[in-house]
Amino acid sequence: MNPKEPKPERKKRNESGDKHVFRRVVMILAILAVLGMAGSHILFLVTGTSVFSIPENLAARVITPIQTGFSSVVETVVDYLYQWKLRANLELAYNQLKDENERLVYQAMLADQLQYKLSVYENMYDEISVNESMNPLVATVIEHDQGNYFSAFTINKGSNDGIEDYMAVTTEGALIGYTYNVTATKSSVRTIIDSQASIAALISSTRDQGTVRGTLGVDGTAMCRMYYLPDDHLPRPGDTVVTSGVGMSFPKGIPIGTVRESTRGMESNKSYIVVEPTADFEHIEYVLVLRYQPLAGAVEARASSSDSLSFTPLDTELPVPTIQIGSDFYQLAPTPVPSVTPSSSPLSGSDLTTPVPSTTVPDTASATPSSGEYEYQVPSGMASDNTYGFTLAPTASPTPTPPPLDVSVEEDQ
Amino acid sequence: MVKKGLKFAFLTLLCYLMQSTLSQYLSLWDVAPNIALAIIAVVSVAMGRKYTFVMSVTVGYLLELMLPTLPYINVILYPVCAMLGSLAFSDKSELKLEEARTLGRRAGNLPPHLRTMLCALVSITVFETVNLMYVYLSGIQLDNGHWSRAVISVVYTTALAGALQFPIRWWLGVYKLKKAR
């Protein structure tokens, strides 16, 4: 005899069996639904019948909004993660960009510096090419002494490079100053705006010459004044002032500046005009020293031959009397009685010729004839007959002094 | 029962949505993983073959419906791939285990986490193989690019299944069931 099971356990088993059946039914229905939808899709693809597309349309209507929302959520999340990733890398990227920016800025500065140097060198090269005959030398300014009263600087070239005192220093074709206090390795340059600088100059348009001096120590301005100009010309504003080549061994024609105004000023009874320098004295980095020696060979040759100088008079043409002695030209004047010079022997006709001095004019100290051999040019017709009545005494002067003419009048018989 | 069914339905929908919207953002070397097969592999080990079949057919159908790249390919290939993996690596039934014990063979299952990855490996391998065959039959010569992309996809999907199985199994309550046993 089987013991009877209690009612609650039997009830539980029944409920469990029902759940199991229900679970199976649901699962089978789900599988059938899924398979049915998939099959209908395949049938729609095969047959093209629109009836089979009804489940697809229903599923698409349900899925589309869900997928749209989910897609937006995903994109939002992805964007947030992307932004988060960017923020995480932001500092790194910022530092990298900052370093790159600094590097590029440095390279840009270096490029600008090199470009400036290149332009300076190009200008220097052009200037050297133009002034090649003046033996130019490029020098770098290594020290500035731009005070309130003096303007000078130091360059890195000295006597080892052939620099001497008072050589012209230019930049960009304009005169800056001249060298002084030259040592073996460096030189000082006094600028033209320094009050102690004094340079011979001329105005290129009128060729009026004067002296240019700086005004830095006079009124504190970086200008020049040109003194000793003639009063008969009035310089025009803008006229170029160049070196005249007088005094220091400067080449002639180096631009100094331009006439600022034609109005003349007065300083210690000296009139002057204001000259505005062409060179930029505020930004001098490289200069050109013109190692110019004016006609050095000729000067040396002249200096070596100066001890044996001797006076050599030039040949002069002998004067020829244009009047005949004893002619009627002097008949109005009383003719004194000639003193007959006794002669040891009567002179022949040929002896009455005018002595001709030698072609070489004797020195003034020895101009007095000692030999008495003078020749006088007389007309040949007159030389034969002795109509002179006197004997010409030799004189130092090549032009004989005519004797007084006989103006006595004979009485009629 | 209802709760499990709702979780399954939600997981199925989530599987489709992630495959259709999220996989493109998870590209590695321009190769997107197959999230759907990875999740289906997790479901295969965690819930069984019937759920695997329903899920794979549903996801394949929805993909076929919403992303009709190739006709029939998704609606057929997803269930086939998923079921192949599931047949090999899902939990064996007690009947099968008892039969194996009777015959004196080693009866038992591999660790579920390992089986999940192996299931995903089989599924994605079949999937990529079919795709490459389709490409080849279309007249395109296969080169190293195809093979490398296929290998990356297989490895990436397998690794993704290994990573996703922990939260999914936890959410499905598999770890609670194991603890109760």
Side-chain angles (χ1 to χ4, degrees):
Chain A
M1 180 178 177
N2 293 328
K4 289 186 178 178
E5 295 177 351
K7 286 185 178 178
E9 290 182 0
R10 191 186 302 168
K11 192 175 182 180
K12 277 186 178 178
R13 285 186 178 178
N14 292 334
E15 289 179 356
S16 177
D18 293 340
K19 285 184 178 179
H20 188 69
V21 171
F22 177 71
R23 188 184 300 172
R24 285 200 168 189
V25 170
V26 170
M27 180 61 69
I28 291 171
L29 288 177
I31 293 173
L32 288 177
V34 171
L35 287 176
M37 294 177 72
S40 67
H41 174 70
I42 294 173
L43 288 175
F44 173 70
L45 292 177
V46 173
T47 61
T49 307
S50 60
V51 178
F52 298 113
S53 64
I54 293 175
E56 292 184 11
N57 295 331
L58 291 176
R61 284 185 182 181
V62 175
I63 291 297
T64 300
I66 297 173
Q67 187 170 351
T68 303
F70 188 81
S71 178
S72 62
V73 171
V74 168
E75 288 182 358
T76 303
V77 172
V78 169
D79 288 341
Y80 176 76
L81 292 175
Y82 183 70
Q83 294 293 331
W84 182 68
K85 181 182 178 182
L86 285 180
R87 287 175 187 172
N89 296 329
L90 192 62
E91 186 175 359
L92 178 62
Y94 172 75
N95 290 329
Q96 290 178 348
L97 291 175
K98 189 177 179 182
D99 293 340
E100 187 177 1
N101 186 37
E102 289 180 354
R103 185 173 54 83
L104 291 175
V105 167
Y106 175 74
Q107 288 183 350
M109 291 173 61
L110 194 61
D112 291 341
Q113 185 72 15
L114 291 175
Q115 190 174 6
Y116 173 73
K117 280 186 176 180
L118 180 62
S119 64
V120 169
Y121 286 150
E122 285 179 350
N123 293 334
M124 286 287 179
Y125 178 76
D126 295 340
E127 197 169 346
I128 287 172
S129 301
V130 171
N131 301 318
E132 193 172 3
S133 61
M134 300 180 188
N135 197 10
L137 176 68
V138 178
T140 304
V141 177
I142 58 175
E143 183 181 356
H144 278 278
D145 185 16
Q146 182 83 31
N148 294 326
Y149 307 102
F150 307 102
S151 175
F153 56 85
T154 306
I155 57 177
N156 64 343
K157 304 289 184 182
S159 59
N160 290 341
D161 300 300
I163 296 178
E164 298 175 358
D165 285 339
Y166 305 112
M167 284 185 167
V169 179
T170 65
T171 183
E172 297 178 358
L175 183 68
I176 293 180
Y178 57 86
T179 58
Y180 72 103
N181 193 16
V182 177
T183 63
T185 56
K186 69 177 182 63
S187 304
S188 297
V189 176
R190 189 181 303 283
T191 66
I192 58 175
I193 61 174
D194 192 295
S195 302
Q196 298 182 1
S198 180
I199 299 166
L202 59 84
I203 298 175
S204 60
S205 61
T206 61
R207 314 307 293 178
D208 291 336
Q209 297 195 15
T211 301
V212 170
R213 289 180 180 173
T215 61
L216 192 61
V218 178
D219 55 6
T221 58
M223 292 290 175
C224 298
R225 290 178 179 177
M226 190 169 184
Y227 297 91
Y228 310 121
L229 283 171
D231 295 331
D232 53 349
H233 286 98
L234 191 63
R236 294 169 299 182
D239 281 351
T240 305
V241 178
V242 299
T243 56
S244 64
V246 178
M248 300 181 190
S249 58
F250 278 12
K252 188 176 183 179
I254 301 176
I256 295 176
T258 54
V259 176
R260 190 173 191 182
E261 55 188 10
S262 60
T263 305
R264 302 193 181 207
M266 291 296 292
E267 177 190 354
S268 302
N269 295 327
K270 293 183 293 185
S271 63
Y272 65 86
I273 60 170
V274 178
V275 176
E276 188 170 1
T278 304
D280 182 12
F281 293 93
E282 299 291 334
H283 307 93
I284 300 175
E285 295 183 17
Y286 304 95
V287 295
L288 210 63
V289 182
L290 302 181
R291 296 173 292 182
Y292 171 75
Q293 297 293 339
L295 300 176
V299 170
E300 290 177 359
R302 190 168 61 184
S304 61
S305 60
S306 61
D307 297 336
S308 61
L309 286 176
S310 61
F311 177 74
T312 304
L314 299 175
D315 297 338
T316 56
E317 190 175 354
L318 294 175
V320 176
T322 56
I323 57 173
Q324 296 178 357
I325 298 174
S327 65
D328 296 338
F329 182 77
Y330 295 107
Q331 285 184 355
L332 294 178
T335 303
V337 177
S339 59
V340 178
T341 302
S343 176
S344 58
S345 60
L347 296 174
S348 62
S350 60
D351 294 334
L352 293 177
T353 55
T354 304
V356 178
S358 62
T359 54
T360 302
V361 178
D363 196 3
T364 53
S366 59
T368 304
S370 57
S371 61
E373 295 179 355
Y374 290 97
E375 292 182 3
Y376 293 92
Q377 292 181 353
V378 295
S380 57
M382 299 293 290
S384 57
D385 50 353
N386 298 323
T387 59
Y388 292 100
F390 63 89
T391 302
L392 290 175
T395 59
S397 173
T399 303
T401 302
L405 300 176
D406 184 10
V407 293
S408 61
V409 177
E410 296 179 354
E411 294 180 359
D412 294 333
Q413 298 293 327
Chain B
M1 167 64 186
V2 177
K3 188 178 178 181
K4 186 178 180 181
L6 291 176
K7 284 185 177 179
F8 173 75
F10 180 77
L11 187 61
T12 304
L13 184 61
L14 186 65
C15 177
Y16 160 72
L17 293 175
M18 290 179 72
Q19 174 62 27
S20 61
T21 59
L22 187 61
S23 63
Q24 59 179 336
Y25 296 112
L26 300 178
S27 298
L28 196 65
W29 295 301
D30 292 334
V31 177
N34 197 321
I35 300 176
L37 285 181
I39 294 176
I40 289 171
V42 175
V43 169
S44 297
V45 176
M47 301 183 73
R49 293 169 187 166
K50 288 178 289 188
Y51 289 93
T52 300
F53 179 74
V54 173
M55 182 179 234
S56 61
V57 171
T58 304
V59 171
Y61 172 71
L62 292 176
L63 289 173
E64 179 77 19
L65 188 67
M66 304 301 288
L67 302 170
T69 53
L70 296 172
Y72 315 116
I73 191 80
N74 290 324
V75 74
I76 295 174
L77 192 56
Y78 272 90
V80 170
C81 296
M83 290 311 295
L84 285 175
S86 178
L87 287 173
F89 296 104
S90 64
D91 289 342
K92 293 179 181 176
S93 64
E94 289 297 329
L95 184 62
K96 284 282 184 73
L97 291 174
E98 186 64 28
E99 183 181 353
R101 290 191 200 100
T102 304
L103 295 174
R105 288 183 294 187
R106 182 181 177 182
N109 293 312
L110 291 172
H113 298 97
L114 179 60
R115 281 189 286 128
T116 300
M117 296 181 67
L118 291 174
C119 180
L121 178 63
V122 170
S123 300
I124 190 64
T125 301
V126 174
F127 185 84
E128 291 296 332
T129 303
V130 172
N131 276 300
L132 287 177
M133 289 176 62
Y134 193 92
V135 169
Y136 179 73
L137 293 176
S138 299
I140 299 173
Q141 187 67 33
L142 299 180
D143 56 6
N144 292 330
H146 294 89
W147 296 114
S148 62
R149 289 172 67 87
V151 171
I152 291 172
S153 177
V154 168
V155 174
Y156 194 6
T157 302
T158 304
L160 190 63
L164 288 176
Q165 64 180 332
F166 295 100
I168 294 175
R169 289 171 67 88
W170 174 82
W171 185 62
L172 291 175
V174 176
Y175 294 127
K176 290 181 182 177
L177 185 62
K178 186 178 179 181
K179 197 173 182 180
R181 286 175 182 172

